[in-house]
Amino acid sequence: MDIRELKRLENKRKMNKGYMWALFCAVLWALWYIPGTIIWAIPPFDTMWVAIDATHGASMATIIVAVLITAFNALTVIIALLVWNGVLGKFGEMKRTLTELHPCSKWFFLASIFGGPIAILGSFIAIGFIGASFAAVAALLYPIVGSVLAWKWYGEQISRRAAFGIVVIMIGGITIFVGGAIADIAAGGVSWIGYLGGLMCACGWGIEGAIAGKGLDIAEPDVGITIRFIGENVIWWIIIIPIVALAGFPVVEYAFAALNPLSILVLGFAGITFGYCYVSWYKSFPLIGVGRGQGIANLYGLCAVIFLYLFFAQVPPWTVLLGGALCVLGSFVMISEETGDVESIRGD
Amino acid sequence: MAGQRPIKFRLLELFSDEKEHWNNEIVVQIQKEYNMNSNFGRDSINFDILELASGGMLKSVESKVDEDGVYKKGFLLHKYAITDFGKVRASDACLEYV
């Protein structure tokens, strides 16, 4: 075998590794919707919702409970990530990267703003107001945001085929949102905040991916994702939770009440699935690019619908199924291009 | 300073002399500097080089099969050089480089 052929094979192996990480991400991300759904129904989050509903109404109750759940989600994710880095022996690299704020860590802190209080909170809001199936499928639009930003911002190449895939995903996303809204209007009411939550995840995760791609040029993915979650924990536990508490909501007392075995178990499962899905997401970007990484990770939508049916017998409406199928089809179109000759995702 | 900066910074710094370097030589140097002498450490450093190349900061200018097992017998060895984009990212990450 000549060198050229060997290089092509090596490159293909590298791309396959990137796709494998993105696929891990899809499965773990989908699994996360199981604890993400259960957590609303267990103490103290169920009684917290009832208590806030009595004083501030149902919408405010859902948002405040979503804030506390998201904060705990960030906490269990960072524990999972610290275990991961400990096993890989990367604490030294983490310290070195963390102190390089200017060229490096700032990107991950910025990513944590879009990923945490926008995307993950948006996802929990969508779960709380509309349901996990909707939340899972609504975020499927995010690769459009991520790919377009990565292309415009730092020249990551998007092939004609990838662009076509994006259009298919976009049609799928519109089907999900407009179809759901029309059905809600016909039923007499629209959970606008739930749809806003869905849009928050699509935009938040897309922007986060593009920003993370920039940071990952010069940082290791395992370390980068951990710094990103350190940032998110700071945002929740040092900034937002104290502000919500000062606004008169009983978040601190319910935060202590959440330290019971059942919620620790469910939150722990959320931390493991989400933490490692994020590791896989970040590890795929340097190998196959933000656009392709997000495209294949989008298969989480399909996996989530399957898991939610298996575990909760939740059957989504036909608009979600059709829109989800289009998004998955679009993801396949995006990633089905020939990659054997692509040495750099920037095409230099 | 050796062993003090994130590994990808140091890699870019080493390539900032604008000379071509074989990946196995760079891996051995980083292993020494960062005290990463296990096989896991070796592969992890090589993966960082691969990521830099994949991100368009390094480009492979020559390849050969590792017949003698200097890195891993039968694997491809690559001689890399920094790209213009790599120089931009290096100047961002390594203040020494202008």
Side-chain angles (χ1 to χ4, degrees), chain A residues 252-283:
Chain A
V252 176
E253 85 182 68
Y254 282 105
F256 280 109
L259 302 175
N260 68 71
L262 181 60
S263 44
I264 288 173
L265 181 73
V266 176
L267 287 166
F269 190 56
I272 290 167
T273 50
F274 212 55
Y276 299 137
C277 111
Y278 248 117
V279 164
S280 311
W281 207 46
Y282 272 42
K283 281 176 100 69

Tab-separated table of all heavy atoms in Angstrom, chain A residues 252-283:
chain	number	residue	atom	x	y	z
A	252	VAL	N	-33.310	28.472	48.240
A	252	VAL	CA	-32.252	27.948	49.109
A	252	VAL	C	-32.796	26.796	49.963
A	252	VAL	O	-32.169	25.731	50.067
A	252	VAL	CB	-31.659	29.074	49.989
A	252	VAL	CG1	-30.625	28.517	50.957
A	252	VAL	CG2	-31.012	30.140	49.094
A	253	GLU	N	-33.996	27.000	50.532
A	253	GLU	CA	-34.526	25.917	51.376
A	253	GLU	C	-34.820	24.662	50.549
A	253	GLU	O	-34.577	23.545	51.007
A	253	GLU	CB	-35.772	26.402	52.153
A	253	GLU	CG	-37.071	26.294	51.411
A	253	GLU	CD	-38.268	26.833	52.179
A	253	GLU	OE1	-38.329	28.063	52.396
A	253	GLU	OE2	-39.148	26.021	52.520
A	254	TYR	N	-35.286	24.839	49.306
A	254	TYR	CA	-35.531	23.659	48.467
A	254	TYR	C	-34.217	23.052	47.967
A	254	TYR	O	-34.152	21.852	47.704
A	254	TYR	CB	-36.475	23.996	47.315
A	254	TYR	CG	-37.910	24.059	47.775
A	254	TYR	CD1	-38.566	25.277	47.941
A	254	TYR	CD2	-38.611	22.890	48.073
A	254	TYR	CE1	-39.877	25.337	48.394
A	254	TYR	CE2	-39.920	22.930	48.533
A	254	TYR	CZ	-40.558	24.168	48.682
A	254	TYR	OH	-41.844	24.199	49.142
A	255	ALA	N	-33.189	23.882	47.818
A	255	ALA	CA	-31.876	23.336	47.426
A	255	ALA	C	-31.374	22.383	48.508
A	255	ALA	O	-30.867	21.296	48.209
A	255	ALA	CB	-30.881	24.470	47.200
A	256	PHE	N	-31.541	22.772	49.776
A	256	PHE	CA	-31.130	21.872	50.868
A	256	PHE	C	-32.022	20.635	50.900
A	256	PHE	O	-31.549	19.521	51.134
A	256	PHE	CB	-31.168	22.611	52.217
A	256	PHE	CG	-29.947	23.462	52.430
A	256	PHE	CD1	-30.005	24.849	52.378
A	256	PHE	CD2	-28.711	22.861	52.661
A	256	PHE	CE1	-28.863	25.627	52.547
A	256	PHE	CE2	-27.558	23.627	52.836
A	256	PHE	CZ	-27.640	25.018	52.783
A	257	ALA	N	-33.335	20.842	50.641
A	257	ALA	CA	-34.264	19.705	50.652
A	257	ALA	C	-33.947	18.715	49.533
A	257	ALA	O	-34.297	17.529	49.614
A	257	ALA	CB	-35.696	20.213	50.516
A	258	ALA	N	-33.279	19.213	48.476
A	258	ALA	CA	-32.950	18.328	47.350
A	258	ALA	C	-31.830	17.343	47.691
A	258	ALA	O	-31.553	16.421	46.928
A	258	ALA	CB	-32.545	19.164	46.134
A	259	LEU	N	-31.197	17.566	48.841
A	259	LEU	CA	-30.114	16.650	49.230
A	259	LEU	C	-30.707	15.403	49.896
A	259	LEU	O	-30.392	15.074	51.031
A	259	LEU	CB	-29.125	17.365	50.152
A	259	LEU	CG	-28.486	18.617	49.535
A	259	LEU	CD1	-27.612	19.341	50.544
A	259	LEU	CD2	-27.677	18.262	48.288
A	260	ASN	N	-31.609	14.746	49.208
A	260	ASN	CA	-32.168	13.480	49.700
A	260	ASN	C	-31.800	12.373	48.722
A	260	ASN	O	-31.489	12.663	47.551
A	260	ASN	CB	-33.695	13.607	49.873
A	260	ASN	CG	-34.391	13.758	48.537
A	260	ASN	OD1	-34.478	12.823	47.757
A	260	ASN	ND2	-34.875	14.968	48.246
A	261	PRO	N	-31.794	11.122	49.171
A	261	PRO	CA	-31.266	10.030	48.327
A	261	PRO	C	-31.910	9.944	46.946
A	261	PRO	O	-31.204	9.761	45.946
A	261	PRO	CB	-31.579	8.768	49.144
A	261	PRO	CG	-31.674	9.240	50.554
A	261	PRO	CD	-32.199	10.643	50.507
A	262	LEU	N	-33.242	10.101	46.873
A	262	LEU	CA	-33.901	9.926	45.577
A	262	LEU	C	-33.483	11.010	44.583
A	262	LEU	O	-33.112	10.715	43.440
A	262	LEU	CB	-35.434	9.932	45.753
A	262	LEU	CG	-36.222	9.722	44.462
A	262	LEU	CD1	-35.877	8.384	43.813
A	262	LEU	CD2	-37.728	9.817	44.707
A	263	SER	N	-33.529	12.288	45.031
A	263	SER	CA	-33.153	13.314	44.050
A	263	SER	C	-31.664	13.279	43.751
A	263	SER	O	-31.269	13.584	42.621
A	263	SER	CB	-33.628	14.718	44.449
A	263	SER	OG	-33.405	14.985	45.761
A	264	ILE	N	-30.839	12.876	44.722
A	264	ILE	CA	-29.399	12.753	44.419
A	264	ILE	C	-29.192	11.674	43.343
A	264	ILE	O	-28.405	11.842	42.412
A	264	ILE	CB	-28.589	12.434	45.703
A	264	ILE	CG1	-28.541	13.675	46.598
A	264	ILE	CG2	-27.170	11.972	45.357
A	264	ILE	CD1	-27.924	13.453	47.958
A	265	LEU	N	-29.962	10.584	43.458
A	265	LEU	CA	-29.849	9.499	42.473
A	265	LEU	C	-30.235	9.990	41.073
A	265	LEU	O	-29.499	9.778	40.101
A	265	LEU	CB	-30.767	8.336	42.892
A	265	LEU	CG	-30.740	7.111	41.973
A	265	LEU	CD1	-29.442	6.330	42.149
A	265	LEU	CD2	-31.939	6.201	42.254
A	266	VAL	N	-31.383	10.669	41.003
A	266	VAL	CA	-31.867	11.128	39.692
A	266	VAL	C	-30.931	12.212	39.132
A	266	VAL	O	-30.545	12.182	37.957
A	266	VAL	CB	-33.322	11.652	39.798
A	266	VAL	CG1	-33.781	12.217	38.457
A	266	VAL	CG2	-34.254	10.538	40.235
A	267	LEU	N	-30.540	13.157	40.003
A	267	LEU	CA	-29.629	14.220	39.546
A	267	LEU	C	-28.269	13.640	39.166
A	267	LEU	O	-27.617	14.111	38.235
A	267	LEU	CB	-29.471	15.284	40.633
A	267	LEU	CG	-30.689	16.198	40.839
A	267	LEU	CD1	-30.572	16.972	42.149
A	267	LEU	CD2	-30.855	17.163	39.671
A	268	GLY	N	-27.852	12.613	39.895
A	268	GLY	CA	-26.579	11.953	39.585
A	268	GLY	C	-26.619	11.328	38.199
A	268	GLY	O	-25.678	11.437	37.414
A	269	PHE	N	-27.744	10.688	37.875
A	269	PHE	CA	-27.907	10.080	36.549
A	269	PHE	C	-27.892	11.163	35.474
A	269	PHE	O	-27.296	10.994	34.404
A	269	PHE	CB	-29.215	9.281	36.521
A	269	PHE	CG	-29.369	8.429	35.286
A	269	PHE	CD1	-28.397	7.500	34.938
A	269	PHE	CD2	-30.482	8.556	34.474
A	269	PHE	CE1	-28.537	6.721	33.794
A	269	PHE	CE2	-30.633	7.789	33.325
A	269	PHE	CZ	-29.660	6.868	32.991
A	270	ALA	N	-28.533	12.299	35.802
A	270	ALA	CA	-28.523	13.423	34.859
A	270	ALA	C	-27.090	13.917	34.654
A	270	ALA	O	-26.672	14.199	33.523
A	270	ALA	CB	-29.408	14.559	35.366
A	271	GLY	N	-26.323	14.004	35.746
A	271	GLY	CA	-24.941	14.491	35.664
A	271	GLY	C	-24.062	13.578	34.833
A	271	GLY	O	-23.268	14.036	34.008
A	272	ILE	N	-24.229	12.278	35.036
A	272	ILE	CA	-23.401	11.314	34.294
A	272	ILE	C	-23.749	11.350	32.804
A	272	ILE	O	-22.869	11.476	31.945
A	272	ILE	CB	-23.603	9.884	34.862
A	272	ILE	CG1	-22.959	9.796	36.252
A	272	ILE	CG2	-23.010	8.837	33.931
A	272	ILE	CD1	-23.342	8.562	37.030
A	273	THR	N	-25.042	11.276	32.481
A	273	THR	CA	-25.418	11.239	31.063
A	273	THR	C	-25.061	12.554	30.369
A	273	THR	O	-24.482	12.562	29.289
A	273	THR	CB	-26.937	10.968	30.889
A	273	THR	OG1	-27.657	11.880	31.716
A	273	THR	CG2	-27.299	9.558	31.265
A	274	PHE	N	-25.363	13.660	31.031
A	274	PHE	CA	-25.122	14.955	30.390
A	274	PHE	C	-23.634	15.289	30.349
A	274	PHE	O	-23.131	15.818	29.355
A	274	PHE	CB	-25.904	16.056	31.105
A	274	PHE	CG	-26.346	17.136	30.171
A	274	PHE	CD1	-27.087	16.839	29.051
A	274	PHE	CD2	-26.011	18.458	30.404
A	274	PHE	CE1	-27.492	17.833	28.173
A	274	PHE	CE2	-26.417	19.457	29.535
A	274	PHE	CZ	-27.149	19.143	28.418
A	275	GLY	N	-22.943	15.006	31.454
A	275	GLY	CA	-21.508	15.306	31.514
A	275	GLY	C	-20.752	14.582	30.417
A	275	GLY	O	-19.979	15.180	29.668
A	276	TYR	N	-21.017	13.270	30.288
A	276	TYR	CA	-20.257	12.509	29.304
A	276	TYR	C	-20.757	12.742	27.882
A	276	TYR	O	-20.005	12.583	26.920
A	276	TYR	CB	-20.210	11.025	29.688
A	276	TYR	CG	-19.518	10.847	31.025
A	276	TYR	CD1	-19.995	9.998	32.005
A	276	TYR	CD2	-18.378	11.598	31.328
A	276	TYR	CE1	-19.367	9.891	33.249
A	276	TYR	CE2	-17.746	11.503	32.554
A	276	TYR	CZ	-18.238	10.648	33.517
A	276	TYR	OH	-17.618	10.562	34.729
A	277	CYS	N	-22.013	13.152	27.743
A	277	CYS	CA	-22.473	13.512	26.393
A	277	CYS	C	-21.739	14.770	25.944
A	277	CYS	O	-21.312	14.896	24.807
A	277	CYS	CB	-23.991	13.667	26.350
A	277	CYS	SG	-24.633	15.313	26.111
A	278	TYR	N	-21.547	15.692	26.893
A	278	TYR	CA	-20.836	16.933	26.569
A	278	TYR	C	-19.352	16.656	26.256
A	278	TYR	O	-18.772	17.263	25.354
A	278	TYR	CB	-20.934	17.916	27.736
A	278	TYR	CG	-21.774	19.144	27.438
A	278	TYR	CD1	-22.933	19.414	28.148
A	278	TYR	CD2	-21.384	20.053	26.467
A	278	TYR	CE1	-23.696	20.545	27.893
A	278	TYR	CE2	-22.138	21.183	26.199
A	278	TYR	CZ	-23.287	21.428	26.915
A	278	TYR	OH	-24.033	22.550	26.657
A	279	VAL	N	-18.729	15.742	27.025
A	279	VAL	CA	-17.339	15.366	26.730
A	279	VAL	C	-17.246	14.868	25.289
A	279	VAL	O	-16.385	15.290	24.512
A	279	VAL	CB	-16.852	14.246	27.693
A	279	VAL	CG1	-15.592	13.579	27.156
A	279	VAL	CG2	-16.577	14.800	29.085
A	280	SER	N	-18.180	13.993	24.919
A	280	SER	CA	-18.156	13.409	23.576
A	280	SER	C	-18.373	14.488	22.512
A	280	SER	O	-17.732	14.472	21.455
A	280	SER	CB	-19.257	12.349	23.426
A	280	SER	OG	-19.221	11.465	24.501
A	281	TRP	N	-19.268	15.411	22.813
A	281	TRP	CA	-19.577	16.513	21.878
A	281	TRP	C	-18.310	17.316	21.607
A	281	TRP	O	-17.923	17.545	20.464
A	281	TRP	CB	-20.629	17.399	22.552
A	281	TRP	CG	-21.536	18.178	21.659
A	281	TRP	CD1	-22.197	17.735	20.555
A	281	TRP	CD2	-21.923	19.553	21.851
A	281	TRP	NE1	-22.979	18.748	20.051
A	281	TRP	CE2	-22.832	19.870	20.821
A	281	TRP	CE3	-21.608	20.532	22.780
A	281	TRP	CZ2	-23.414	21.127	20.705
A	281	TRP	CZ3	-22.201	21.781	22.656
A	281	TRP	CH2	-23.087	22.076	21.641
A	282	TYR	N	-17.647	17.746	22.705
A	282	TYR	CA	-16.440	18.570	22.564
A	282	TYR	C	-15.305	17.795	21.900
A	282	TYR	O	-14.482	18.371	21.203
A	282	TYR	CB	-15.994	19.101	23.937
A	282	TYR	CG	-16.654	20.415	24.333
A	282	TYR	CD1	-18.005	20.635	24.112
A	282	TYR	CD2	-15.916	21.430	24.930
A	282	TYR	CE1	-18.609	21.830	24.490
A	282	TYR	CE2	-16.512	22.637	25.309
A	282	TYR	CZ	-17.862	22.825	25.084
A	282	TYR	OH	-18.450	24.011	25.452
A	283	LYS	N	-15.226	16.477	22.146
A	283	LYS	CA	-14.134	15.701	21.570
A	283	LYS	C	-14.333	15.497	20.066
A	283	LYS	O	-13.371	15.286	19.329
A	283	LYS	CB	-14.020	14.341	22.273
A	283	LYS	CG	-13.309	14.424	23.614
A	283	LYS	CD	-13.297	13.103	24.301
A	283	LYS	CE	-12.001	12.363	24.148
A	283	LYS	NZ	-10.885	12.982	24.860
